[in-house]
Amino acid sequence: MAGLVKAKKYDWKDSNLALFGSDVEKNVKKSSAMEEKAWKGCGQKVELKIWRIVKFKVVDWPKEDYGRFYDGDSYIILNTYKKDPNSEELDHDVHFYIGKYSSQDEYGTAAYKTVELDTYLDDKPIQHREVMDHESPLFKSYFKTISKMKGGAESGFRHVEPKKYVPRLVHVSGNKKVTIKEVKFKKDYLNDDDVFLVDLGLKIFQWNGDNSSMNERFAAGKCVTQLKSERGGKPTVEVLDNCTVAEIPEELLEVFPEEGQPGTKRSKFFTKKDETDSDPGYEKVLFRLSEESGEMKFTEVARGRVTKSQLDSNDVFILDSGKHCHVWVGSGASSNEKKNGLSYAHNYLTKSANPLQPITVIGEGQETKEFHAAFN
Protein backbone atom coordinates (compact mmCIF):
# COMPACT_ATOMS: atom_id res chain seq x y z
CA MET A 1 0.00 0.00 0.00
CA ALA A 2 2.91 2.36 -0.59
CA GLY A 3 1.96 5.67 -2.11
CA LEU A 4 2.66 5.85 -5.83
CA VAL A 5 2.75 9.34 -7.32
CA LYS A 6 0.35 10.22 -10.10
CA ALA A 7 2.26 11.95 -12.87
CA LYS A 8 -0.54 14.27 -13.94
CA LYS A 9 -0.91 17.54 -12.06
CA TYR A 10 -4.01 19.70 -12.06
CA ASP A 11 -5.60 22.51 -10.12
CA TRP A 12 -8.65 21.65 -8.02
CA LYS A 13 -9.94 25.21 -8.52
CA ASP A 14 -10.05 24.64 -12.29
CA SER A 15 -11.99 21.39 -12.00
CA ASN A 16 -15.32 21.06 -13.75
CA LEU A 17 -18.09 18.46 -13.58
CA ALA A 18 -20.05 19.95 -16.47
CA LEU A 19 -18.50 17.23 -18.60
CA PHE A 20 -21.10 16.81 -21.30
CA GLY A 21 -19.38 17.07 -24.66
CA SER A 22 -15.92 16.68 -23.08
CA ASP A 23 -13.40 13.89 -23.66
CA VAL A 24 -14.47 12.32 -20.36
CA GLU A 25 -18.05 12.05 -21.53
CA LYS A 26 -16.98 10.59 -24.88
CA ASN A 27 -15.05 7.87 -23.06
CA VAL A 28 -17.75 6.92 -20.58
CA LYS A 29 -20.73 7.36 -22.90
CA LYS A 30 -19.75 4.31 -24.96
CA SER A 31 -22.06 2.21 -22.85
CA SER A 32 -25.50 3.24 -21.68
CA ALA A 33 -26.77 2.74 -18.15
CA MET A 34 -28.52 -0.50 -19.13
CA GLU A 35 -25.38 -1.85 -20.81
CA GLU A 36 -23.00 -1.10 -17.91
CA LYS A 37 -21.99 -4.54 -16.59
CA ALA A 38 -21.16 -3.15 -13.15
CA TRP A 39 -24.79 -2.23 -12.53
CA LYS A 40 -26.23 -5.66 -13.37
CA GLY A 41 -28.23 -6.95 -10.42
CA CYS A 42 -27.32 -4.10 -8.08
CA GLY A 43 -29.95 -2.35 -6.01
CA GLN A 44 -32.22 -5.42 -5.94
CA LYS A 45 -31.64 -6.32 -2.29
CA VAL A 46 -30.51 -4.72 0.96
CA GLU A 47 -26.73 -4.40 0.68
CA LEU A 48 -23.75 -2.07 0.34
CA LYS A 49 -21.87 -2.05 -2.98
CA ILE A 50 -18.63 -0.22 -3.80
CA TRP A 51 -16.86 0.31 -7.12
CA ARG A 52 -13.60 2.05 -8.03
CA ILE A 53 -12.99 4.08 -11.19
CA VAL A 54 -10.14 2.64 -13.28
CA LYS A 55 -9.38 4.25 -16.68
CA PHE A 56 -12.98 5.39 -17.21
CA LYS A 57 -14.27 1.96 -16.15
CA VAL A 58 -16.38 0.99 -13.12
CA VAL A 59 -14.62 -1.89 -11.32
CA ASP A 60 -15.89 -3.91 -8.34
CA TRP A 61 -14.09 -3.07 -5.09
CA PRO A 62 -13.31 -6.27 -3.09
CA LYS A 63 -15.66 -6.73 -0.14
CA GLU A 64 -12.71 -7.36 2.18
CA ASP A 65 -11.57 -3.80 1.39
CA TYR A 66 -14.91 -2.10 2.16
CA GLY A 67 -14.10 0.87 4.37
CA ARG A 68 -10.56 1.15 2.97
CA PHE A 69 -9.95 3.97 0.50
CA TYR A 70 -6.89 5.34 -1.30
CA ASP A 71 -6.40 9.08 -1.64
CA GLY A 72 -5.38 8.75 -5.30
CA ASP A 73 -8.65 7.09 -6.38
CA SER A 74 -12.36 7.83 -6.80
CA TYR A 75 -15.19 5.50 -5.84
CA ILE A 76 -18.95 4.95 -6.18
CA ILE A 77 -20.87 3.63 -3.15
CA LEU A 78 -24.45 2.36 -3.37
CA ASN A 79 -26.38 1.67 -0.17
CA THR A 80 -29.67 -0.18 -0.70
CA TYR A 81 -31.97 -0.36 2.31
CA LYS A 82 -35.60 -0.39 3.47
CA LYS A 83 -37.08 2.63 5.20
CA ASP A 84 -39.92 0.37 6.32
CA PRO A 85 -38.71 -3.12 7.33
CA ASN A 86 -42.24 -4.47 6.75
CA SER A 87 -42.34 -3.23 3.15
CA GLU A 88 -40.84 -4.80 0.03
CA GLU A 89 -39.91 -1.38 -1.36
CA LEU A 90 -36.19 -0.62 -1.55
CA ASP A 91 -34.53 2.76 -1.18
CA HIS A 92 -31.07 3.85 -2.23
CA ASP A 93 -28.31 6.35 -1.49
CA VAL A 94 -25.52 6.60 -4.06
CA HIS A 95 -22.30 8.49 -3.31
CA PHE A 96 -19.33 9.33 -5.48
CA TYR A 97 -16.27 9.63 -3.26
CA ILE A 98 -13.24 11.70 -4.26
CA GLY A 99 -9.77 10.94 -2.92
CA LYS A 100 -7.82 14.15 -2.32
CA TYR A 101 -5.26 13.21 -5.01
CA SER A 102 -7.75 11.69 -7.45
CA SER A 103 -7.42 13.04 -11.00
CA GLN A 104 -10.19 15.07 -12.63
CA ASP A 105 -10.73 12.28 -15.15
CA GLU A 106 -11.37 9.85 -12.30
CA TYR A 107 -13.73 11.92 -10.21
CA GLY A 108 -15.42 13.30 -13.32
CA THR A 109 -16.13 9.75 -14.45
CA ALA A 110 -17.36 8.85 -10.95
CA ALA A 111 -19.80 11.77 -11.06
CA TYR A 112 -21.04 10.86 -14.54
CA LYS A 113 -21.43 7.19 -13.64
CA THR A 114 -23.27 8.09 -10.44
CA VAL A 115 -25.89 9.87 -12.54
CA GLU A 116 -25.97 6.82 -14.83
CA LEU A 117 -26.55 4.51 -11.85
CA ASP A 118 -29.35 6.79 -10.73
CA THR A 119 -30.90 6.37 -14.20
CA TYR A 120 -30.50 2.58 -14.01
CA LEU A 121 -32.43 2.58 -10.72
CA ASP A 122 -35.28 4.69 -12.19
CA ASP A 123 -34.14 7.94 -10.53
CA LYS A 124 -34.96 6.59 -7.06
CA PRO A 125 -31.57 7.04 -5.36
CA ILE A 126 -30.56 10.14 -3.44
CA GLN A 127 -27.23 11.27 -4.89
CA HIS A 128 -24.27 12.52 -2.87
CA ARG A 129 -20.79 13.93 -3.51
CA GLU A 130 -18.20 13.18 -0.82
CA VAL A 131 -14.63 14.46 -0.48
CA MET A 132 -12.04 12.55 1.55
CA ASP A 133 -11.61 13.94 5.08
CA HIS A 134 -14.93 15.83 4.75
CA GLU A 135 -17.31 12.85 4.68
CA SER A 136 -20.95 13.28 5.67
CA PRO A 137 -22.29 11.49 8.79
CA LEU A 138 -24.40 9.27 6.50
CA PHE A 139 -21.32 8.10 4.60
CA LYS A 140 -19.42 7.41 7.83
CA SER A 141 -22.35 5.37 9.17
CA TYR A 142 -21.75 2.62 6.59
CA PHE A 143 -18.44 1.54 8.11
CA LYS A 144 -17.32 0.58 11.61
CA THR A 145 -13.85 1.75 10.66
CA ILE A 146 -12.67 3.92 7.76
CA SER A 147 -9.10 3.47 6.54
CA LYS A 148 -7.50 6.12 4.31
CA MET A 149 -4.29 5.14 2.58
CA LYS A 150 -1.90 7.04 0.35
CA GLY A 151 -1.56 6.31 -3.37
CA GLY A 152 -3.87 4.23 -5.54
CA ALA A 153 -5.07 0.67 -5.12
CA GLU A 154 -2.25 -0.62 -7.36
CA SER A 155 0.26 0.66 -4.79
CA GLY A 156 -0.85 -1.99 -2.28
CA PHE A 157 1.53 -4.65 -0.97
CA ARG A 158 -0.15 -7.28 -3.17
CA HIS A 159 0.98 -5.30 -6.23
CA VAL A 160 4.45 -4.25 -5.01
CA GLU A 161 7.53 -6.42 -4.56
CA PRO A 162 8.27 -6.63 -0.78
CA LYS A 163 11.84 -5.36 -1.22
CA LYS A 164 10.52 -2.26 -3.00
CA TYR A 165 7.83 -1.57 -0.39
CA VAL A 166 7.85 2.02 0.86
CA PRO A 167 7.39 2.26 4.67
CA ARG A 168 4.13 3.74 5.93
CA LEU A 169 2.96 5.31 9.18
CA VAL A 170 -0.70 4.65 9.93
CA HIS A 171 -2.57 6.70 12.55
CA VAL A 172 -5.44 4.96 14.42
CA SER A 173 -7.67 7.36 16.35
CA GLY A 174 -11.20 7.85 17.63
CA ASN A 175 -13.32 6.29 20.33
CA LYS A 176 -16.75 5.21 19.09
CA LYS A 177 -15.87 5.71 15.40
CA VAL A 178 -12.27 4.79 14.71
CA THR A 179 -10.45 6.26 11.71
CA ILE A 180 -7.35 4.62 10.28
CA LYS A 181 -5.38 7.11 8.21
CA GLU A 182 -1.95 7.01 6.62
CA VAL A 183 0.16 10.06 7.53
CA LYS A 184 3.64 11.24 6.61
CA PHE A 185 6.37 8.83 7.61
CA LYS A 186 7.84 11.04 10.35
CA LYS A 187 8.35 10.25 14.04
CA ASP A 188 6.94 13.71 14.89
CA TYR A 189 3.44 12.31 14.26
CA LEU A 190 3.68 9.84 17.14
CA ASN A 191 1.83 10.83 20.31
CA ASP A 192 0.85 9.35 23.68
CA ASP A 193 -2.92 9.41 23.05
CA ASP A 194 -3.40 7.26 19.92
CA VAL A 195 -2.23 4.07 18.24
CA PHE A 196 0.16 3.97 15.27
CA LEU A 197 1.28 1.23 12.90
CA VAL A 198 4.81 1.49 11.58
CA ASP A 199 4.42 -0.69 8.48
CA LEU A 200 7.72 -1.79 6.92
CA GLY A 201 6.14 -4.44 4.69
CA LEU A 202 7.53 -7.60 6.27
CA LYS A 203 7.81 -6.06 9.74
CA ILE A 204 4.99 -4.17 11.52
CA PHE A 205 5.27 -2.28 14.79
CA GLN A 206 2.07 -1.44 16.68
CA TRP A 207 2.63 1.63 18.86
CA ASN A 208 0.01 1.74 21.63
CA GLY A 209 0.17 5.23 23.08
CA ASP A 210 0.09 5.31 26.86
CA ASN A 211 -3.32 7.06 26.84
CA SER A 212 -4.81 5.25 23.81
CA SER A 213 -8.26 3.66 24.12
CA MET A 214 -9.18 -0.02 23.95
CA ASN A 215 -11.19 0.66 20.76
CA GLU A 216 -8.13 2.15 19.07
CA ARG A 217 -5.93 -0.78 20.09
CA PHE A 218 -8.56 -3.29 18.98
CA ALA A 219 -9.03 -1.60 15.58
CA ALA A 220 -5.26 -1.46 15.07
CA GLY A 221 -4.97 -5.14 15.94
CA LYS A 222 -7.65 -6.03 13.38
CA CYS A 223 -5.82 -3.95 10.78
CA VAL A 224 -2.56 -5.76 11.49
CA THR A 225 -4.31 -9.15 11.21
CA GLN A 226 -5.73 -8.15 7.84
CA LEU A 227 -2.35 -6.93 6.60
CA LYS A 228 -0.70 -10.20 7.64
CA SER A 229 -3.41 -12.21 5.88
CA GLU A 230 -3.02 -10.18 2.67
CA ARG A 231 0.73 -10.82 2.77
CA GLY A 232 0.47 -14.57 3.25
CA GLY A 233 1.32 -14.41 6.95
CA LYS A 234 4.90 -13.33 6.18
CA PRO A 235 5.15 -10.11 8.24
CA THR A 236 6.37 -10.26 11.82
CA VAL A 237 4.55 -8.05 14.32
CA GLU A 238 5.86 -6.35 17.44
CA VAL A 239 3.38 -4.66 19.79
CA LEU A 240 4.81 -1.78 21.82
CA ASP A 241 2.56 -1.05 24.83
CA ASN A 242 2.29 2.09 26.99
CA CYS A 243 4.40 4.16 24.59
CA THR A 244 5.35 7.80 25.14
CA VAL A 245 7.15 10.20 22.79
CA ALA A 246 9.59 10.91 25.62
CA GLU A 247 10.88 7.35 25.35
CA ILE A 248 10.68 6.14 21.75
CA PRO A 249 12.35 2.71 21.46
CA GLU A 250 15.69 2.78 19.66
CA GLU A 251 14.59 0.11 17.17
CA LEU A 252 11.75 2.40 16.10
CA LEU A 253 13.88 5.53 15.87
CA GLU A 254 16.16 3.76 13.40
CA VAL A 255 13.42 3.21 10.80
CA PHE A 256 12.42 6.87 10.47
CA PRO A 257 14.29 9.21 8.08
CA GLU A 258 16.62 11.86 9.43
CA GLU A 259 15.09 15.26 10.24
CA GLY A 260 15.08 17.59 7.23
CA GLN A 261 15.20 14.75 4.72
CA PRO A 262 13.00 15.79 1.78
CA GLY A 263 9.78 13.88 1.18
CA THR A 264 7.77 13.23 -1.96
CA LYS A 265 5.35 15.95 -3.02
CA ARG A 266 2.12 15.14 -4.78
CA SER A 267 -0.51 17.20 -6.54
CA LYS A 268 -3.36 17.62 -4.08
CA PHE A 269 -7.12 17.76 -4.69
CA PHE A 270 -7.36 20.83 -2.47
CA THR A 271 -5.09 23.23 -0.61
CA LYS A 272 -4.52 23.65 3.12
CA LYS A 273 -6.76 26.71 3.05
CA ASP A 274 -9.58 24.53 1.74
CA GLU A 275 -9.29 22.14 4.70
CA THR A 276 -10.66 24.59 7.25
CA ASP A 277 -14.16 24.11 8.64
CA SER A 278 -16.98 26.36 7.59
CA ASP A 279 -17.04 29.87 9.01
CA PRO A 280 -19.64 30.06 11.80
CA GLY A 281 -20.71 33.43 10.33
CA TYR A 282 -21.14 31.98 6.83
CA GLU A 283 -24.20 33.26 4.98
CA LYS A 284 -26.58 30.69 3.55
CA VAL A 285 -27.19 31.15 -0.17
CA LEU A 286 -30.03 29.81 -2.33
CA PHE A 287 -29.68 29.56 -6.14
CA ARG A 288 -32.13 28.67 -8.91
CA LEU A 289 -31.15 26.57 -11.96
CA SER A 290 -33.65 27.05 -14.78
CA GLU A 291 -33.83 26.88 -18.56
CA GLU A 292 -37.27 28.50 -18.75
CA SER A 293 -35.84 31.33 -20.88
CA GLY A 294 -34.48 28.85 -23.43
CA GLU A 295 -30.97 28.73 -21.99
CA MET A 296 -29.65 27.36 -18.70
CA LYS A 297 -29.40 30.11 -16.08
CA PHE A 298 -27.93 29.90 -12.58
CA THR A 299 -29.13 32.81 -10.48
CA GLU A 300 -29.05 33.79 -6.82
CA VAL A 301 -32.47 33.80 -5.14
CA ALA A 302 -31.66 34.72 -1.54
CA ARG A 303 -28.73 35.21 0.84
CA GLY A 304 -28.65 35.06 4.63
CA ARG A 305 -32.32 34.32 5.18
CA VAL A 306 -33.61 31.45 3.04
CA THR A 307 -37.00 29.79 3.36
CA LYS A 308 -38.72 26.80 1.76
CA SER A 309 -41.40 29.12 0.38
CA GLN A 310 -38.77 30.32 -2.12
CA LEU A 311 -38.64 26.90 -3.79
CA ASP A 312 -40.54 26.35 -7.05
CA SER A 313 -41.47 22.86 -8.30
CA ASN A 314 -40.68 23.85 -11.88
CA ASP A 315 -36.95 24.30 -11.31
CA VAL A 316 -33.85 23.04 -9.50
CA PHE A 317 -32.54 24.89 -6.43
CA ILE A 318 -29.12 24.74 -4.78
CA LEU A 319 -28.81 25.61 -1.09
CA ASP A 320 -25.32 26.25 0.27
CA SER A 321 -25.43 26.19 4.08
CA GLY A 322 -21.66 26.31 4.51
CA LYS A 323 -21.65 22.81 5.98
CA HIS A 324 -23.74 20.81 3.50
CA CYS A 325 -24.88 21.73 0.01
CA HIS A 326 -28.36 20.51 -1.00
CA VAL A 327 -29.59 20.26 -4.60
CA TRP A 328 -33.39 20.19 -4.61
CA VAL A 329 -35.02 18.94 -7.84
CA GLY A 330 -38.58 20.15 -8.29
CA SER A 331 -41.11 17.63 -9.55
CA GLY A 332 -41.70 19.75 -12.65
CA ALA A 333 -38.03 20.42 -13.46
CA SER A 334 -36.88 19.57 -16.98
CA SER A 335 -34.62 16.59 -17.64
CA ASN A 336 -31.78 18.98 -18.55
CA GLU A 337 -32.17 20.86 -15.26
CA LYS A 338 -32.20 17.57 -13.32
CA LYS A 339 -29.10 16.33 -15.15
CA ASN A 340 -27.09 19.48 -14.46
CA GLY A 341 -27.97 20.18 -10.82
CA LEU A 342 -25.06 18.22 -9.36
CA SER A 343 -22.46 19.63 -11.77
CA TYR A 344 -23.58 23.23 -11.18
CA ALA A 345 -23.42 22.70 -7.41
CA HIS A 346 -19.91 21.20 -7.66
CA ASN A 347 -18.62 23.96 -9.93
CA TYR A 348 -20.15 26.68 -7.75
CA LEU A 349 -18.53 25.22 -4.63
CA THR A 350 -15.05 25.23 -6.20
CA LYS A 351 -15.17 29.03 -5.99
CA SER A 352 -16.89 29.23 -2.59
CA ALA A 353 -15.41 29.59 0.90
CA ASN A 354 -16.23 25.94 1.71
CA PRO A 355 -15.59 23.92 -1.47
CA LEU A 356 -15.30 20.48 0.16
CA GLN A 357 -18.62 20.20 1.96
CA PRO A 358 -20.82 17.19 1.04
CA ILE A 359 -23.41 17.62 -1.71
CA THR A 360 -26.77 15.83 -1.64
CA VAL A 361 -29.24 15.75 -4.55
CA ILE A 362 -32.84 15.16 -3.49
CA GLY A 363 -36.06 15.16 -5.44
CA GLU A 364 -39.22 16.92 -4.33
CA GLY A 365 -40.88 14.54 -1.86
CA GLN A 366 -37.52 12.98 -0.82
CA GLU A 367 -36.60 15.77 1.61
CA THR A 368 -34.57 14.74 4.67
CA LYS A 369 -34.55 16.18 8.19
CA GLU A 370 -31.17 17.73 7.45
CA PHE A 371 -32.57 19.46 4.37
CA HIS A 372 -35.48 20.95 6.32
CA ALA A 373 -33.15 22.05 9.12
CA ALA A 374 -30.93 23.94 6.64
CA PHE A 375 -33.60 26.59 6.09
CA ASN A 376 -34.28 29.53 8.42
Side-chain angles (χ1 to χ4, degrees), residues 90-262:
L90 295 172
D91 296 281
H92 319 274
D93 282 281
V94 58
H95 307 247
F96 73 93
Y97 184 62
I98 307 171
K100 62 172 69 174
Y101 295 99
S102 176
S103 73
Q104 185 177 339
D105 283 350
E106 288 172 335
Y107 67 76
T109 301
Y112 185 93
K113 283 294 188 178
T114 295
V115 175
E116 186 182 85
L117 178 55
D118 179 75
T119 300
Y120 178 80
L121 295 173
D122 300 320
D123 299 325
K124 288 189 65 178
I126 294 176
Q127 299 173 49
H128 309 264
R129 184 206 73 168
E130 309 277 352
V131 178
M132 184 172 281
D133 293 337
H134 296 264
E135 299 86 350
S136 67
L138 177 63
F139 182 88
K140 292 177 181 178
S141 72
Y142 301 149
F143 312 101
K144 290 183 178 179
T145 302
I146 295 179
S147 301
K148 303 171 187 178
M149 302 300 174
K150 293 185 181 296
E154 286 77 11
S155 62
F157 186 93
R158 284 169 284 186
H159 305 281
V160 178
E161 294 179 32
K163 291 183 180 179
K164 295 181 180 178
Y165 189 75
V166 178
R168 302 180 310 147
L169 180 62
V170 179
H171 183 196
V172 183
S173 63
N175 193 3
K176 293 182 179 179
K177 280 286 183 182
V178 176
T179 298
I180 300 174
K181 183 178 179 180
E182 186 177 349
V183 296
K184 290 182 179 179
F185 196 74
K186 296 176 62 176
K187 67 176 182 292
D188 293 348
Y189 278 87
L190 300 174
N191 66 56
D192 303 355
D193 299 322
D194 300 320
V195 175
F196 291 83
L197 301 179
V198 181
D199 181 4
L200 306 178
L202 295 177
K203 171 89 174 183
I204 302 172
F205 292 93
Q206 180 175 329
W207 162 289
N208 291 335
D210 195 35
N211 302 320
S212 60
S213 69
M214 290 302 298
N215 280 350
E216 289 167 338
R217 298 184 187 201
F218 179 73
K222 285 185 65 177
C223 183
V224 169
T225 300
Q226 183 177 0
L227 292 175
K228 282 195 66 174
S229 175
E230 290 173 356
R231 300 170 191 179
K234 295 178 181 179
T236 59
V237 179
E238 184 171 346
V239 178
L240 306 173
D241 278 321
N242 306 318
C243 294
T244 65
V245 292
E247 298 180 354
I248 300 177
E250 188 66 30
E251 60 184 329
L252 211 54
L253 284 173
E254 292 176 354
V255 305
F256 286 101
E258 294 293 329
E259 291 299 324
Q261 183 174 324

Side-chain angles (χ1 to χ4, degrees), residues 274-287:
D274 295 324
E275 295 183 20
T276 56
D277 292 330
S278 60
D279 181 349
Y282 189 84
E283 280 191 305
K284 296 178 183 178
V285 192
L286 182 66
F287 297 92

Side-chain angles (χ1 to χ4, degrees), residues 29-96:
K29 203 172 182 179
K30 292 178 181 178
S31 58
S32 68
M34 300 308 294
E35 293 172 341
E36 173 56 69
K37 293 179 181 179
W39 306 150
K40 299 301 181 184
C42 73
Q44 305 306 308
K45 61 181 179 179
V46 174
E47 66 174 344
L48 186 71
K49 288 281 293 180
I50 302 179
W51 300 269
R52 183 171 72 103
I53 302 302
V54 183
K55 297 179 180 177
F56 303 103
K57 302 290 185 182
V58 182
V59 178
D60 279 330
W61 190 234
K63 287 191 179 295
E64 61 266 25
D65 286 335
Y66 279 21
R68 176 188 296 178
F69 301 99
Y70 289 85
D71 65 9
D73 293 328
S74 286
Y75 304 82
I76 296 174
I77 295 90
L78 172 67
N79 184 42
T80 302
Y81 62 99
K82 290 182 179 181
K83 289 181 181 176
D84 181 356
N86 298 316
S87 171
E88 293 301 314
E89 185 175 359
L90 295 172
D91 296 281
H92 319 274
D93 282 281
V94 58
H95 307 247
F96 73 93

Side-chain angles (χ1 to χ4, degrees), residues 6-26:
K6 289 184 179 290
K8 181 178 178 181
K9 291 188 177 182
Y10 56 91
D11 187 347
W12 145 248
K13 292 301 184 184
D14 293 335
S15 65
N16 193 329
L17 287 188
L19 297 169
F20 302 98
S22 68
D23 289 338
V24 172
E25 189 204 9
K26 291 173 185 175

